[in-house]
Amino acid sequence: MTAVPQTPAETEPSVESAPPQAGPAPGAKRSLALSLLAGAAGAALALLASGRTWAEGTAVLAQGELPRSVTGADVTGVPGALAVVGLAALVAVFAVRRAGRVAVAGLLTLSGAGIVAAAVRGNSDTSALREKAATAVGLTGADVHHVTHTGWPWVAAAGGLLLLIAGLLALVHGRHWPAMSGRYERTPGGARGPRRAPPAPDMDRPEEIWKSLDRGEDPTR
């Protein structure tokens, strides 16, 4: 029997197209957006509250009374410093992966918890107010009267709570979040990843023919 010639389509093995990569799940997107909003808002609230008046009082002088006030930064510098750390950790969550992301998320969580603890403690602290009174009076150990506390320490605590929530979301759902593009990352062996092959030159264009001749190639092949 005469063998029936096969067409090129029959002889070539079929190549299955790779399935498209699935994007982040809807739940991961929601947790990502919530973490970003909570972290940014929490850092902003903590920084804002640190510069506001936390307590007011009156220093007693021989000539009368002198009102004094202290800001959050005067009482404690912890909320402002940890707000900056938390904001940096929030950004760094998307620059690292795996164990690095867990570590950064833990730092974000601890920053929020530290702000809450410092703000609650600073709400009843009068040492900074007494120091200002002593400076005004010129006597060590001067006391203050009619001490009142504002609501700004609780605003700082709310900011810390938001940062804490952002950190917990990153710890629980961070493994499903996307990371920064790995286009410029190196392979484990130190070499760069595979590059796309350059497109074939168009020999119908005169400049490509001249370039081929300069390379010593035969453009008619």
PDB file of all heavy atoms in Angstrom, residues 186-217:
ATOM      1  N   ARG A 186      16.896  38.810  40.037  1.00  0.00           N
ATOM      2  CA  ARG A 186      17.823  37.815  39.539  1.00  0.00           C
ATOM      3  C   ARG A 186      17.370  36.424  39.954  1.00  0.00           C
ATOM      4  O   ARG A 186      16.662  36.251  40.926  1.00  0.00           O
ATOM      5  CB  ARG A 186      19.240  38.081  40.073  1.00  0.00           C
ATOM      6  CG  ARG A 186      19.860  39.347  39.521  1.00  0.00           C
ATOM      7  CD  ARG A 186      21.253  39.529  40.068  1.00  0.00           C
ATOM      8  NE  ARG A 186      21.888  40.720  39.515  1.00  0.00           N
ATOM      9  CZ  ARG A 186      22.621  40.721  38.405  1.00  0.00           C
ATOM     10  NH1 ARG A 186      22.806  39.589  37.743  1.00  0.00           N
ATOM     11  NH2 ARG A 186      23.161  41.830  37.958  1.00  0.00           N
ATOM     12  N   THR A 187      17.818  35.445  39.203  1.00  0.00           N
ATOM     13  CA  THR A 187      17.523  34.065  39.537  1.00  0.00           C
ATOM     14  C   THR A 187      18.391  33.645  40.705  1.00  0.00           C
ATOM     15  O   THR A 187      19.372  34.308  41.028  1.00  0.00           O
ATOM     16  CB  THR A 187      17.803  33.167  38.320  1.00  0.00           C
ATOM     17  OG1 THR A 187      19.171  33.342  37.942  1.00  0.00           O
ATOM     18  CG2 THR A 187      16.910  33.556  37.153  1.00  0.00           C
ATOM     19  N   PRO A 188      18.069  32.513  41.382  1.00  0.00           N
ATOM     20  CA  PRO A 188      18.877  32.106  42.535  1.00  0.00           C
ATOM     21  C   PRO A 188      20.351  31.942  42.220  1.00  0.00           C
ATOM     22  O   PRO A 188      21.202  32.119  43.063  1.00  0.00           O
ATOM     23  CB  PRO A 188      18.232  30.773  42.952  1.00  0.00           C
ATOM     24  CG  PRO A 188      16.821  30.893  42.501  1.00  0.00           C
ATOM     25  CD  PRO A 188      16.871  31.697  41.233  1.00  0.00           C
ATOM     26  N   GLY A 189      20.721  31.562  40.980  1.00  0.00           N
ATOM     27  CA  GLY A 189      22.119  31.387  40.626  1.00  0.00           C
ATOM     28  C   GLY A 189      22.850  32.682  40.384  1.00  0.00           C
ATOM     29  O   GLY A 189      24.062  32.679  40.152  1.00  0.00           O
ATOM     30  N   GLY A 190      22.148  33.802  40.416  1.00  0.00           N
ATOM     31  CA  GLY A 190      22.793  35.091  40.216  1.00  0.00           C
ATOM     32  C   GLY A 190      22.637  35.629  38.818  1.00  0.00           C
ATOM     33  O   GLY A 190      22.940  36.787  38.561  1.00  0.00           O
ATOM     34  N   ALA A 191      22.167  34.819  37.860  1.00  0.00           N
ATOM     35  CA  ALA A 191      22.011  35.292  36.486  1.00  0.00           C
ATOM     36  C   ALA A 191      20.642  35.896  36.324  1.00  0.00           C
ATOM     37  O   ALA A 191      19.705  35.585  37.055  1.00  0.00           O
ATOM     38  CB  ALA A 191      22.193  34.132  35.506  1.00  0.00           C
ATOM     39  N   ARG A 192      20.504  36.753  35.376  1.00  0.00           N
ATOM     40  CA  ARG A 192      19.210  37.361  35.110  1.00  0.00           C
ATOM     41  C   ARG A 192      18.290  36.338  34.451  1.00  0.00           C
ATOM     42  O   ARG A 192      18.737  35.359  33.853  1.00  0.00           O
ATOM     43  CB  ARG A 192      19.372  38.579  34.193  1.00  0.00           C
ATOM     44  CG  ARG A 192      20.092  39.727  34.878  1.00  0.00           C
ATOM     45  CD  ARG A 192      20.089  40.947  33.971  1.00  0.00           C
ATOM     46  NE  ARG A 192      20.775  42.067  34.594  1.00  0.00           N
ATOM     47  CZ  ARG A 192      20.210  42.920  35.409  1.00  0.00           C
ATOM     48  NH1 ARG A 192      18.933  42.786  35.716  1.00  0.00           N
ATOM     49  NH2 ARG A 192      20.893  43.918  35.949  1.00  0.00           N
ATOM     50  N   GLY A 193      17.017  36.577  34.578  1.00  0.00           N
ATOM     51  CA  GLY A 193      16.043  35.673  33.997  1.00  0.00           C
ATOM     52  C   GLY A 193      16.085  35.720  32.481  1.00  0.00           C
ATOM     53  O   GLY A 193      16.750  36.559  31.869  1.00  0.00           O
ATOM     54  N   PRO A 194      15.385  34.805  31.817  1.00  0.00           N
ATOM     55  CA  PRO A 194      15.405  34.760  30.354  1.00  0.00           C
ATOM     56  C   PRO A 194      14.817  36.020  29.753  1.00  0.00           C
ATOM     57  O   PRO A 194      13.820  36.546  30.220  1.00  0.00           O
ATOM     58  CB  PRO A 194      14.542  33.524  30.035  1.00  0.00           C
ATOM     59  CG  PRO A 194      13.688  33.330  31.251  1.00  0.00           C
ATOM     60  CD  PRO A 194      14.503  33.794  32.406  1.00  0.00           C
ATOM     61  N   ARG A 195      15.463  36.482  28.696  1.00  0.00           N
ATOM     62  CA  ARG A 195      14.994  37.663  27.989  1.00  0.00           C
ATOM     63  C   ARG A 195      14.258  37.250  26.723  1.00  0.00           C
ATOM     64  O   ARG A 195      14.505  36.179  26.169  1.00  0.00           O
ATOM     65  CB  ARG A 195      16.168  38.569  27.625  1.00  0.00           C
ATOM     66  CG  ARG A 195      16.910  39.134  28.832  1.00  0.00           C
ATOM     67  CD  ARG A 195      18.020  40.058  28.364  1.00  0.00           C
ATOM     68  NE  ARG A 195      18.751  40.644  29.477  1.00  0.00           N
ATOM     69  CZ  ARG A 195      19.770  41.475  29.327  1.00  0.00           C
ATOM     70  NH1 ARG A 195      20.197  41.806  28.115  1.00  0.00           N
ATOM     71  NH2 ARG A 195      20.389  41.970  30.393  1.00  0.00           N
ATOM     72  N   ARG A 196      13.407  38.113  26.277  1.00  0.00           N
ATOM     73  CA  ARG A 196      12.692  37.840  25.038  1.00  0.00           C
ATOM     74  C   ARG A 196      13.646  37.950  23.848  1.00  0.00           C
ATOM     75  O   ARG A 196      14.494  38.836  23.796  1.00  0.00           O
ATOM     76  CB  ARG A 196      11.549  38.843  24.858  1.00  0.00           C
ATOM     77  CG  ARG A 196      10.449  38.693  25.907  1.00  0.00           C
ATOM     78  CD  ARG A 196       9.330  39.659  25.620  1.00  0.00           C
ATOM     79  NE  ARG A 196       8.259  39.525  26.598  1.00  0.00           N
ATOM     80  CZ  ARG A 196       7.160  40.272  26.596  1.00  0.00           C
ATOM     81  NH1 ARG A 196       6.998  41.199  25.665  1.00  0.00           N
ATOM     82  NH2 ARG A 196       6.226  40.084  27.504  1.00  0.00           N
ATOM     83  N   ALA A 197      13.469  37.022  22.909  1.00  0.00           N
ATOM     84  CA  ALA A 197      14.313  37.057  21.711  1.00  0.00           C
ATOM     85  C   ALA A 197      13.960  38.280  20.878  1.00  0.00           C
ATOM     86  O   ALA A 197      12.789  38.649  20.759  1.00  0.00           O
ATOM     87  CB  ALA A 197      14.107  35.781  20.895  1.00  0.00           C
ATOM     88  N   PRO A 198      14.964  38.943  20.279  1.00  0.00           N
ATOM     89  CA  PRO A 198      14.665  40.117  19.455  1.00  0.00           C
ATOM     90  C   PRO A 198      13.886  39.707  18.220  1.00  0.00           C
ATOM     91  O   PRO A 198      14.044  38.595  17.694  1.00  0.00           O
ATOM     92  CB  PRO A 198      16.068  40.641  19.087  1.00  0.00           C
ATOM     93  CG  PRO A 198      16.974  39.463  19.226  1.00  0.00           C
ATOM     94  CD  PRO A 198      16.404  38.638  20.335  1.00  0.00           C
ATOM     95  N   PRO A 199      13.011  40.568  17.723  1.00  0.00           N
ATOM     96  CA  PRO A 199      12.224  40.216  16.529  1.00  0.00           C
ATOM     97  C   PRO A 199      13.117  40.036  15.313  1.00  0.00           C
ATOM     98  O   PRO A 199      14.169  40.656  15.187  1.00  0.00           O
ATOM     99  CB  PRO A 199      11.275  41.414  16.376  1.00  0.00           C
ATOM    100  CG  PRO A 199      11.971  42.537  17.067  1.00  0.00           C
ATOM    101  CD  PRO A 199      12.727  41.922  18.194  1.00  0.00           C
ATOM    102  N   ALA A 200      12.674  39.153  14.415  1.00  0.00           N
ATOM    103  CA  ALA A 200      13.443  38.908  13.185  1.00  0.00           C
ATOM    104  C   ALA A 200      13.461  40.159  12.315  1.00  0.00           C
ATOM    105  O   ALA A 200      12.448  40.867  12.206  1.00  0.00           O
ATOM    106  CB  ALA A 200      12.819  37.740  12.420  1.00  0.00           C
ATOM    107  N   PRO A 201      14.619  40.477  11.703  1.00  0.00           N
ATOM    108  CA  PRO A 201      14.689  41.678  10.855  1.00  0.00           C
ATOM    109  C   PRO A 201      13.826  41.545   9.613  1.00  0.00           C
ATOM    110  O   PRO A 201      13.676  40.470   9.043  1.00  0.00           O
ATOM    111  CB  PRO A 201      16.175  41.769  10.503  1.00  0.00           C
ATOM    112  CG  PRO A 201      16.692  40.379  10.644  1.00  0.00           C
ATOM    113  CD  PRO A 201      15.900  39.762  11.753  1.00  0.00           C
ATOM    114  N   ASP A 202      13.227  42.647   9.207  1.00  0.00           N
ATOM    115  CA  ASP A 202      12.402  42.699   8.009  1.00  0.00           C
ATOM    116  C   ASP A 202      13.299  43.006   6.819  1.00  0.00           C
ATOM    117  O   ASP A 202      13.752  44.137   6.635  1.00  0.00           O
ATOM    118  CB  ASP A 202      11.316  43.763   8.173  1.00  0.00           C
ATOM    119  CG  ASP A 202      10.341  43.790   7.013  1.00  0.00           C
ATOM    120  OD1 ASP A 202      10.420  42.891   6.146  1.00  0.00           O
ATOM    121  OD2 ASP A 202       9.515  44.716   6.970  1.00  0.00           O
ATOM    122  N   MET A 203      13.567  41.976   5.981  1.00  0.00           N
ATOM    123  CA  MET A 203      14.466  42.139   4.847  1.00  0.00           C
ATOM    124  C   MET A 203      13.858  42.919   3.704  1.00  0.00           C
ATOM    125  O   MET A 203      14.523  43.162   2.698  1.00  0.00           O
ATOM    126  CB  MET A 203      14.929  40.762   4.349  1.00  0.00           C
ATOM    127  CG  MET A 203      15.888  40.093   5.318  1.00  0.00           C
ATOM    128  SD  MET A 203      17.299  41.162   5.680  1.00  0.00           S
ATOM    129  CE  MET A 203      18.096  40.250   6.989  1.00  0.00           C
ATOM    130  N   ASP A 204      12.613  43.295   3.802  1.00  0.00           N
ATOM    131  CA  ASP A 204      12.026  44.159   2.783  1.00  0.00           C
ATOM    132  C   ASP A 204      12.419  45.613   2.978  1.00  0.00           C
ATOM    133  O   ASP A 204      12.194  46.438   2.091  1.00  0.00           O
ATOM    134  CB  ASP A 204      10.500  44.023   2.794  1.00  0.00           C
ATOM    135  CG  ASP A 204      10.058  42.644   2.323  1.00  0.00           C
ATOM    136  OD1 ASP A 204      10.812  42.022   1.544  1.00  0.00           O
ATOM    137  OD2 ASP A 204       8.962  42.204   2.743  1.00  0.00           O
ATOM    138  N   ARG A 205      12.995  45.913   4.123  1.00  0.00           N
ATOM    139  CA  ARG A 205      13.411  47.289   4.399  1.00  0.00           C
ATOM    140  C   ARG A 205      14.882  47.448   4.042  1.00  0.00           C
ATOM    141  O   ARG A 205      15.735  46.625   4.406  1.00  0.00           O
ATOM    142  CB  ARG A 205      13.192  47.592   5.880  1.00  0.00           C
ATOM    143  CG  ARG A 205      11.746  47.434   6.320  1.00  0.00           C
ATOM    144  CD  ARG A 205      11.604  47.654   7.798  1.00  0.00           C
ATOM    145  NE  ARG A 205      12.010  48.989   8.189  1.00  0.00           N
ATOM    146  CZ  ARG A 205      12.030  49.431   9.443  1.00  0.00           C
ATOM    147  NH1 ARG A 205      11.698  48.591  10.417  1.00  0.00           N
ATOM    148  NH2 ARG A 205      12.418  50.658   9.719  1.00  0.00           N
ATOM    149  N   PRO A 206      15.234  48.480   3.307  1.00  0.00           N
ATOM    150  CA  PRO A 206      16.620  48.647   2.846  1.00  0.00           C
ATOM    151  C   PRO A 206      17.613  48.737   3.982  1.00  0.00           C
ATOM    152  O   PRO A 206      18.715  48.199   3.889  1.00  0.00           O
ATOM    153  CB  PRO A 206      16.570  49.955   2.035  1.00  0.00           C
ATOM    154  CG  PRO A 206      15.145  50.099   1.633  1.00  0.00           C
ATOM    155  CD  PRO A 206      14.344  49.499   2.734  1.00  0.00           C
ATOM    156  N   GLU A 207      17.245  49.419   5.070  1.00  0.00           N
ATOM    157  CA  GLU A 207      18.213  49.556   6.151  1.00  0.00           C
ATOM    158  C   GLU A 207      18.558  48.222   6.793  1.00  0.00           C
ATOM    159  O   GLU A 207      19.689  48.001   7.245  1.00  0.00           O
ATOM    160  CB  GLU A 207      17.704  50.535   7.216  1.00  0.00           C
ATOM    161  CG  GLU A 207      16.384  50.147   7.866  1.00  0.00           C
ATOM    162  CD  GLU A 207      15.186  50.744   7.138  1.00  0.00           C
ATOM    163  OE1 GLU A 207      15.317  50.998   5.932  1.00  0.00           O
ATOM    164  OE2 GLU A 207      14.137  50.979   7.785  1.00  0.00           O
ATOM    165  N   GLU A 208      17.590  47.279   6.809  1.00  0.00           N
ATOM    166  CA  GLU A 208      17.879  45.966   7.359  1.00  0.00           C
ATOM    167  C   GLU A 208      18.821  45.186   6.445  1.00  0.00           C
ATOM    168  O   GLU A 208      19.660  44.416   6.907  1.00  0.00           O
ATOM    169  CB  GLU A 208      16.578  45.192   7.575  1.00  0.00           C
ATOM    170  CG  GLU A 208      15.642  45.773   8.626  1.00  0.00           C
ATOM    171  CD  GLU A 208      16.263  45.725  10.001  1.00  0.00           C
ATOM    172  OE1 GLU A 208      17.192  44.933  10.224  1.00  0.00           O
ATOM    173  OE2 GLU A 208      15.826  46.518  10.861  1.00  0.00           O
ATOM    174  N   ILE A 209      18.670  45.379   5.139  1.00  0.00           N
ATOM    175  CA  ILE A 209      19.574  44.712   4.191  1.00  0.00           C
ATOM    176  C   ILE A 209      20.996  45.206   4.385  1.00  0.00           C
ATOM    177  O   ILE A 209      21.957  44.428   4.421  1.00  0.00           O
ATOM    178  CB  ILE A 209      19.095  44.938   2.742  1.00  0.00           C
ATOM    179  CG1 ILE A 209      17.709  44.294   2.545  1.00  0.00           C
ATOM    180  CG2 ILE A 209      20.102  44.378   1.749  1.00  0.00           C
ATOM    181  CD1 ILE A 209      17.129  44.531   1.170  1.00  0.00           C
ATOM    182  N   TRP A 210      21.151  46.527   4.545  1.00  0.00           N
ATOM    183  CA  TRP A 210      22.492  47.076   4.746  1.00  0.00           C
ATOM    184  C   TRP A 210      23.095  46.576   6.064  1.00  0.00           C
ATOM    185  O   TRP A 210      24.287  46.262   6.149  1.00  0.00           O
ATOM    186  CB  TRP A 210      22.452  48.602   4.743  1.00  0.00           C
ATOM    187  CG  TRP A 210      22.325  49.190   3.357  1.00  0.00           C
ATOM    188  CD1 TRP A 210      21.263  49.828   2.833  1.00  0.00           C
ATOM    189  CD2 TRP A 210      23.321  49.170   2.333  1.00  0.00           C
ATOM    190  NE1 TRP A 210      21.503  50.228   1.544  1.00  0.00           N
ATOM    191  CE2 TRP A 210      22.777  49.835   1.205  1.00  0.00           C
ATOM    192  CE3 TRP A 210      24.626  48.645   2.238  1.00  0.00           C
ATOM    193  CZ2 TRP A 210      23.478  50.003   0.011  1.00  0.00           C
ATOM    194  CZ3 TRP A 210      25.333  48.818   1.054  1.00  0.00           C
ATOM    195  CH2 TRP A 210      24.769  49.477  -0.034  1.00  0.00           C
ATOM    196  N   LYS A 211      22.294  46.508   7.109  1.00  0.00           N
ATOM    197  CA  LYS A 211      22.790  45.997   8.392  1.00  0.00           C
ATOM    198  C   LYS A 211      23.232  44.542   8.271  1.00  0.00           C
ATOM    199  O   LYS A 211      24.238  44.120   8.852  1.00  0.00           O
ATOM    200  CB  LYS A 211      21.710  46.126   9.466  1.00  0.00           C
ATOM    201  CG  LYS A 211      21.403  47.553   9.878  1.00  0.00           C
ATOM    202  CD  LYS A 211      20.318  47.577  10.934  1.00  0.00           C
ATOM    203  CE  LYS A 211      19.978  49.010  11.341  1.00  0.00           C
ATOM    204  NZ  LYS A 211      18.895  49.057  12.361  1.00  0.00           N
ATOM    205  N   SER A 212      22.477  43.759   7.469  1.00  0.00           N
ATOM    206  CA  SER A 212      22.857  42.371   7.276  1.00  0.00           C
ATOM    207  C   SER A 212      24.167  42.251   6.523  1.00  0.00           C
ATOM    208  O   SER A 212      25.020  41.417   6.842  1.00  0.00           O
ATOM    209  CB  SER A 212      21.740  41.636   6.525  1.00  0.00           C
ATOM    210  OG  SER A 212      22.081  40.292   6.302  1.00  0.00           O
ATOM    211  N   LEU A 213      24.358  43.104   5.516  1.00  0.00           N
ATOM    212  CA  LEU A 213      25.621  43.088   4.781  1.00  0.00           C
ATOM    213  C   LEU A 213      26.777  43.508   5.674  1.00  0.00           C
ATOM    214  O   LEU A 213      27.885  42.964   5.578  1.00  0.00           O
ATOM    215  CB  LEU A 213      25.516  44.006   3.566  1.00  0.00           C
ATOM    216  CG  LEU A 213      24.580  43.529   2.432  1.00  0.00           C
ATOM    217  CD1 LEU A 213      24.440  44.600   1.363  1.00  0.00           C
ATOM    218  CD2 LEU A 213      25.124  42.235   1.820  1.00  0.00           C
ATOM    219  N   ASP A 214      26.563  44.493   6.531  1.00  0.00           N
ATOM    220  CA  ASP A 214      27.631  44.917   7.444  1.00  0.00           C
ATOM    221  C   ASP A 214      28.035  43.789   8.393  1.00  0.00           C
ATOM    222  O   ASP A 214      29.208  43.698   8.801  1.00  0.00           O
ATOM    223  CB  ASP A 214      27.173  46.128   8.255  1.00  0.00           C
ATOM    224  CG  ASP A 214      27.039  47.371   7.380  1.00  0.00           C
ATOM    225  OD1 ASP A 214      27.674  47.411   6.304  1.00  0.00           O
ATOM    226  OD2 ASP A 214      26.309  48.299   7.792  1.00  0.00           O
ATOM    227  N   ARG A 215      27.099  42.929   8.758  1.00  0.00           N
ATOM    228  CA  ARG A 215      27.420  41.808   9.642  1.00  0.00           C
ATOM    229  C   ARG A 215      28.043  40.645   8.895  1.00  0.00           C
ATOM    230  O   ARG A 215      28.393  39.636   9.499  1.00  0.00           O
ATOM    231  CB  ARG A 215      26.161  41.346  10.369  1.00  0.00           C
ATOM    232  CG  ARG A 215      25.589  42.349  11.391  1.00  0.00           C
ATOM    233  CD  ARG A 215      24.535  41.706  12.249  1.00  0.00           C
ATOM    234  NE  ARG A 215      23.384  41.237  11.478  1.00  0.00           N
ATOM    235  CZ  ARG A 215      22.300  41.953  11.248  1.00  0.00           C
ATOM    236  NH1 ARG A 215      22.193  43.176  11.751  1.00  0.00           N
ATOM    237  NH2 ARG A 215      21.303  41.460  10.536  1.00  0.00           N
ATOM    238  N   GLY A 216      28.139  40.757   7.560  1.00  0.00           N
ATOM    239  CA  GLY A 216      28.700  39.666   6.767  1.00  0.00           C
ATOM    240  C   GLY A 216      27.705  38.582   6.444  1.00  0.00           C
ATOM    241  O   GLY A 216      28.113  37.450   6.101  1.00  0.00           O
ATOM    242  N   GLU A 217      26.426  38.869   6.546  1.00  0.00           N
ATOM    243  CA  GLU A 217      25.410  37.875   6.267  1.00  0.00           C
ATOM    244  C   GLU A 217      24.863  38.063   4.862  1.00  0.00           C
ATOM    245  O   GLU A 217      24.946  39.157   4.273  1.00  0.00           O
ATOM    246  CB  GLU A 217      24.251  37.991   7.282  1.00  0.00           C
ATOM    247  CG  GLU A 217      24.699  37.799   8.712  1.00  0.00           C
ATOM    248  CD  GLU A 217      23.576  38.077   9.693  1.00  0.00           C
ATOM    249  OE1 GLU A 217      22.476  38.485   9.236  1.00  0.00           O
ATOM    250  OE2 GLU A 217      23.778  37.886  10.898  1.00  0.00           O
TER     251      GLU A 217
END
